[in-house]
Amino acid sequence: MPDAFFAEFAQMLRADAAVCVGLSDQPDGARLAVYRNNTVRAAIEALRAAYPTVNRLTGERFFSPMAKDYWRVSPPDQRSLTLYGEHFDRHIATYSPADSLPYLGDIASLDRAWLEAHHAADEPVCRPDMVAALAPDQVPDLAPGLHASVRMLDLSWPVHGIWDNHRSGAPISSKKIAAAPETVIVWRPNANVISSPVSPAQADYLRRLGAGRRLGETSLATLDRFPDFDPVAAFGAALSAGYLAGVNHDPD
Amino acid sequence: MTHPDPSPSAGVSLKPEHYRSALEARADGLWFEVHPENYMADGGPRLRWLDAIRCEHPISLHGVGLSLGGPDRPDQAHIDRWKAVIERYQPVRISEHLAWSALDDVWFADLLPVPMTLRALDRFCRNVDIMQEELGTQVLIENPARYLRLGDECDEAVFLAETVRRTGCGLLLDVNNLFISANNLGIDPDAWLDRIPADAVGEIHLAGHEPDLELGEGLLIDTHGAAVSDPVWRLFDAVIGRFGARPTLIERDANIPAFETLMDERATAQRQLDAVCEQEHANA
């Protein structure tokens, strides 16, 4: 059998009809359909598991064709489905049947951030006592960076509350909301993923730290943009929440 | 006091919903099997659960993503992730499939059929060689559940036996797959077993199947979503009666029942293994 077999079989898997042109002895469509159904179902179920809040809000019957539509344009490119669906939120935003739920893409972004935080590398967070052990003049030179699990999202709709409620199994409400920006931080300081809205100033501060900037220069830069910003309080909050990575301060 | 080698024992597929029960379970010889692909994340609770369970029970790794039966060489990035999982969990056995699952950077997340041709055999043996060399250990290769004939030039059992001969790999004999292929393609299970090198069989799988919604019993589907059926239990008995007892897994990936239900099936498998071992001792 020529190598074309693999390409033709793959094409059959991604088509709507169970016909494999390369097979000389054309098998029963139902037999080919077993493979096609397995492939599609694996992707749909992986997306359903990764986006439980989207699934809950839309219902399974709406979710399945939307997931299949995504799989058609973005099939898995890794040999594991654990983190499959990286761009599902963008796909939802352009999926016209979902137009009546304009914030669904933002809900998907939050589900995705939860998934990524859940599977992120385990590393210790920077604890208040680590900083307390340093001489005060060393602190402004620290560049702790953000913990590996931290994900920060700029949403177009203020849906963190809705998402958090549905994620924790609260009854579905059909509350109407108005579009407005909201920034959310999602992170896992230990076993459990946590999320919280953050102010624009806090978000600016954390993003600078995430880019590897030192505490001192970060405070000044954020103050420059947000004159009411309180860097001491923001640093204290970041430490107690566990947003920051461990401190490797070189005493020399 | 020294003990003889432990008798082959039965294990269970490990599912996230059963982590706590698995950690606390106590049964002689109990082991668990996972797909390494589910443990290739950077970190997180899933990996730590398996760390904890690994401290209590042996773990075997059953890969589904290397696409050994495909036209390409095994993906090096995926092999590297395999190495990390092996390093972390120190499995007692590792296995993969006579199947393909990827082409041109798309992964189909299914075990796709390999044409039983001489060319496919050469390529498959090359890929099994690469996997064994890279991972530094013998790999067990599982026979597929088949729904199609693909212009085959040789018999599946011969294909597997030749792979063993050329690569030194072992076999994972999936009794449910053999039953399904026999049903779907008219393969004679006895003739199939006659052609399999007994010593190469390093593990056995038992799982449930379901009839195709359209074609009914004429096309059985390897869903791993039901209890092991009576005819599969009988075929298992015939297999271990012929080859001897081997580590045996109760495999379940869909319609996951309570942990105790899987442990009950495991106990059934263990009783059959024990009976064969007793018979062997009596004959010795």
Side-chain angles (χ1 to χ4, degrees):
Chain A
M1 187 159 296
D3 271 3
F5 162 77
F6 293 99
E8 282 158 4
F9 203 91
Q11 201 175 15
M12 180 277 294
L13 292 173
R14 301 189 61 189
D16 261 330
V19 176
C20 192
V21 292
L23 297 177
S24 48
D25 189 9
Q26 189 57 227
D28 193 329
R31 290 171 183 260
L32 286 172
V34 174
Y35 298 102
R36 215 184 61 239
N37 294 342
N38 283 348
T39 298
V40 177
R41 200 179 308 122
I44 291 175
E45 294 313 319
L47 290 171
R48 203 189 307 283
Y51 292 89
T53 322
V54 175
N55 184 53
R56 190 149 183 255
L57 274 172
T58 61
E60 293 198 5
R61 279 195 192 171
F62 186 92
F63 188 93
S64 298
M66 184 166 72
K68 186 176 175 184
D69 200 56
Y70 177 74
W71 169 79
R72 250 189 245 287
V73 291
S74 305
D77 59 358
Q78 301 286 315
R79 311 290 179 94
S80 163
L81 294 175
T82 304
L83 290 171
Y84 174 55
E86 187 181 359
H87 304 302
F88 194 42
D89 55 350
R90 282 192 236 154
H91 187 80
I92 289 174
T94 64
Y95 183 71
S96 55
D99 284 351
S100 62
L101 211 51
Y103 56 76
L104 195 61
D106 277 354
I107 295 284
S109 300
L110 286 161
D111 273 346
R112 179 68 193 181
W114 190 99
L115 186 79
E116 290 184 6
H118 182 71
H119 291 296
D122 298 301
E123 61 174 25
V125 295
C126 181
R127 295 191 317 268
D129 60 298
M130 294 171 173
V131 177
L134 300 172
D137 64 338
Q138 290 177 319
V139 175
D141 286 337
L142 291 178
L146 295 177
H147 186 258
S149 69
V150 169
R151 299 291 182 275
M152 291 181 70
L153 307 170
D154 290 318
L155 306 176
S156 306
W157 296 79
V159 290
H160 175 261
I162 295 175
W163 174 79
D164 200 36
N165 268 334
H166 290 321
R167 185 103 199 173
S168 57
I172 292 194
S173 70
S174 49
K175 196 170 66 174
K176 284 234 184 288
I177 55 167
E182 182 176 52
T183 301
V184 175
I185 184 165
V186 180
W187 80 112
R188 179 173 57 82
N190 41 59
N192 297 319
V193 177
I194 313 173
S195 63
S196 166
V198 289
S199 72
Q202 249 181 316
D204 179 86
Y205 178 73
L206 292 172
R207 285 201 163 108
R208 288 174 198 276
L209 291 180
R213 302 270 179 258
R214 295 164 195 241
L215 283 167
E217 58 175 319
T218 297
S219 299
L220 293 175
T222 302
L223 264 173
D224 200 39
R225 277 192 64 197
F226 301 92
D228 293 337
F229 178 64
D230 180 347
V232 176
F235 182 52
L239 277 179
S240 58
Y243 298 154
L244 306 179
V247 177
N248 293 312
H249 186 79
D250 182 353
D252 298 325
Chain B
M1 183 176 148
T2 58
H3 293 277
D5 285 347
S7 302
S9 60
V12 177
S13 288
L14 180 63
K15 297 287 137 194
E17 45 271 71
H18 296 156
Y19 280 155
R20 184 166 298 284
S21 305
L23 183 64
E24 292 166 358
R26 294 293 173 268
D28 283 347
L30 175 62
W31 53 279
F32 290 101
E33 186 159 286
V34 298
H35 299 307
E37 286 78 7
N38 292 339
Y39 296 84
M40 290 177 173
D42 291 338
R46 196 190 277 181
L47 273 56
R48 289 198 246 168
W49 270 111
L50 194 58
D51 285 333
I53 292 164
R54 175 67 186 89
C55 290
E56 302 294 334
H57 307 287
I59 297 291
S60 66
L61 298 177
H62 185 50
V64 292
L66 262 177
S67 198
L68 297 175
D72 305 320
R73 298 167 74 88
D75 179 62
Q76 189 60 44
H78 193 60
I79 285 193
D80 291 342
R81 287 189 283 268
W82 252 100
K83 288 179 183 171
V85 177
I86 289 175
E87 170 73 19
R88 182 162 179 158
Y89 297 110
Q90 302 289 314
V92 289
R93 282 179 299 283
I94 66 173
S95 51
E96 249 289 354
H97 295 83
L98 169 51
W100 64 285
S101 58
L103 193 71
D104 301 333
D105 296 327
V106 172
W107 190 52
F108 294 102
D110 190 25
L111 300 167
L112 302 171
V114 176
M116 299 287 143
T117 61
L118 299 178
R119 177 138 188 239
L121 177 64
D122 288 343
R123 212 153 34 191
F124 185 63
C125 289
R126 174 200 69 191
N127 288 350
V128 172
D129 274 336
I130 291 171
M131 182 179 180
Q132 295 190 128
E133 257 168 56
E134 287 278 347
L135 301 184
T137 183
Q138 191 199 39
V139 171
L140 306 179
I141 295 296
E142 179 179 322
N143 56 300
R146 294 176 65 191
Y147 310 112
L148 288 174
R149 282 190 190 279
L150 294 170
D152 300 338
E153 294 168 6
C154 71
D155 180 276
E156 177 187 289
V158 171
F159 192 103
L160 287 165
E162 185 61 13
T163 304
V164 168
R165 194 186 66 77
R166 291 197 208 170
T167 69
C169 74
L171 295 176
L172 194 170
L173 203 172
D174 190 311
V175 176
N176 185 50
N177 288 357
L178 174 58
F179 181 81
I180 288 172
S181 298
N183 180 83
N184 293 350
L185 304 189
I187 290 171
D188 173 4
D190 281 326
W192 191 94
L193 291 167
D194 279 343
R195 297 187 180 117
I196 290 296
D199 292 347
V201 178
E203 184 176 327
I204 291 173
H205 275 185
L206 296 172
H209 55 254
E210 289 159 88
D212 182 64
L213 291 176
E214 205 176 309
L215 299 185
E217 297 288 335
L219 184 66
L220 297 178
I221 313 292
D222 180 32
T223 56
H224 294 184
V228 178
S229 70
D230 288 340
V232 169
W233 281 118
R234 287 195 292 275
L235 185 55
F236 171 57
D237 216 23
V239 165
I240 58 177
R242 177 192 283 247
F243 291 157
R246 297 288 194 280
T248 298
L249 182 79
I250 301 297
E251 213 182 9
R252 190 72 175 249
D253 292 306
N255 293 329
I256 308 288
F259 182 70
E260 292 68 28
T261 306
L262 295 181
M263 287 296 279
D264 287 346
E265 282 190 290
R266 178 204 177 262
T268 303
Q270 189 64 58
R271 277 194 298 276
Q272 288 189 217
L273 292 172
D274 290 344
V276 166
C277 287
E278 276 170 32
Q279 191 62 44
E280 282 171 1
H281 283 285
N283 293 346

